[in-house]
Amino acid sequence: MPVTLPPSVHVEPGVGDAELLVIETPSGTARLHTYGAHLVSWVPADGADVLWVSPRSAYTPGAAIRGGVPLCFPWFGPHPSGTGPAHGFARTSVWRLVEATDLPDDDAHPGGVAVTLALTEQDVDPALTSVWPHPFEARVRLVVGRELSLSLAVTNTGGTTFAVSEALHTYLAVGDVRRAIVTGLDGATYVDKVADDVRVQVGPVTLDRETDRVYTGTGATTQVVESGRPTVTVAKSGSRSTVVWNPWVAKAAAMADVPDDGWTGFLCVETANALDDTLTVEPGETRTITTRLSVG
Ligand SMILES: O=P(O)(O)OC[C@H]1O[C@H](O)[C@H](O)[C@@H](O)[C@@H]1O
């Protein structure tokens, strides 16, 4: 059944045979690929794009788009046994459009436009599900309003419990990552994947080298603050991990889909459940992770 779109949503060609949904509201415009359920742009009214996307990104089936918000699911990072692609199969699968609808603005809920995409094991290349052989339904719900809300709801549709690690791997655009700070993580414990160590954050996060940290046990709201730019607030629910990542000079130079100086223009603050915060999902259970971005 084709989905009826409200006038606020139109379709453009996407990756391969997939579609790009363009959502235009009075409070801003967003662009969501059905390939990967991958959000690549959110431009609030009278503002600049909050998200960074690499000018060298491949838009090719089989490769993840570099930038925006890749969905890492059903595992975050390398596959536990090393047999599957990094960050799971969600970001390279084509999701189905389930619903697109205008939401009324009332006292309890800000209005906007909501789009829902779905993915089950039936939609995924069997070579990829063979390394994570569990019946599931995942739904991504994007709400574009005065703030932007992005949720991933995972339901276990099978008969046995499974584990999920996941991230809404948000590439925030910054003027210069060396001048940006992240607040909200003071006192949180993190796994420093570069130093291969476990540490405790003191004060705001500042970056002066390759940074790849998984803060665990935290549901805190974070803010990216940079002089001369509006502050971006990342609020979240259903998430106990926050990943802060920037590849810096050498790693970026080794990435074919990032220009050599491209690393200065983004800072990833990822709403996640990873490492000790990995979820177990019982048969019939749904676990939802949400990130809410706002600017100003
Ligand atoms: O290059 P990708 O597979 O998209 O991963 C990009 C990055 O994602 C996360 O932030 C991980 O913590 C990093 O270790 C990884 O390098």
Side-chain angles (χ1 to χ4, degrees), residues 36 105 136:
D105 206 351
F136 72 94

Side-chain angles (χ1 to χ4, degrees), residues 66 76 86-87 91 169 171 193 212 243 245 255 270:
R66 176 65 66 190
F76 174 78
H87 293 326
R91 62 181 183 164
H169 190 313
Y171 287 71
K193 291 165 72 175
D212 192 354
V243 182
W245 178 67
M255 297 166 79
E270 310 168 30

Side-chain angles (χ1 to χ4, degrees), residues 62 210 233 247:
E210 181 190 355
T233 299

Side-chain angles (χ1 to χ4, degrees), residues 179-251:
R179 292 200 297 264
I181 64 168
V182 184
T183 66
L185 294 167
D186 186 22
T189 300
Y190 63 94
V191 174
D192 187 326
K193 291 165 72 175
V194 178
D196 194 17
D197 198 4
V198 177
R199 298 182 176 172
V200 175
Q201 181 65 39
V202 179
V205 182
T206 56
L207 293 89
D208 63 0
R209 67 196 68 189
E210 181 190 355
T211 302
D212 192 354
R213 300 178 178 179
V214 182
Y215 291 84
T216 54
T218 175
T221 295
T222 51
Q223 291 193 311
V224 173
V225 182
E226 187 181 358
S227 172
R229 290 175 70 96
T231 293
V232 179
T233 299
V234 183
K236 61 181 196 162
S237 62
S239 159
R240 298 292 294 162
S241 311
T242 296
V243 182
V244 177
W245 178 67
N246 182 281
W248 226 254
V249 182
K251 273 267 170 71

Side-chain angles (χ1 to χ4, degrees), residues 53-132:
V53 174
S54 175
R56 296 242 184 101
S57 179
Y59 292 89
T60 318
I65 297 168
R66 176 65 66 190
V69 188
L71 294 180
C72 306
F73 165 81
W75 61 88
F76 174 78
H79 183 261
S81 67
T83 46
H87 293 326
F89 47 67
R91 62 181 183 164
T92 53
S93 297
V94 178
W95 294 56
R96 284 173 290 107
L97 175 62
V98 174
E99 190 184 30
T101 179
D102 290 332
L103 301 176
D105 206 351
D106 59 39
D107 289 344
H109 303 97
V113 176
V115 173
T116 304
L117 304 178
L119 186 80
T120 73
E121 73 284 0
Q122 312 276 342
D123 302 310
V124 180
D125 179 348
L128 296 172
T129 49
S130 65
V131 297
W132 195 84

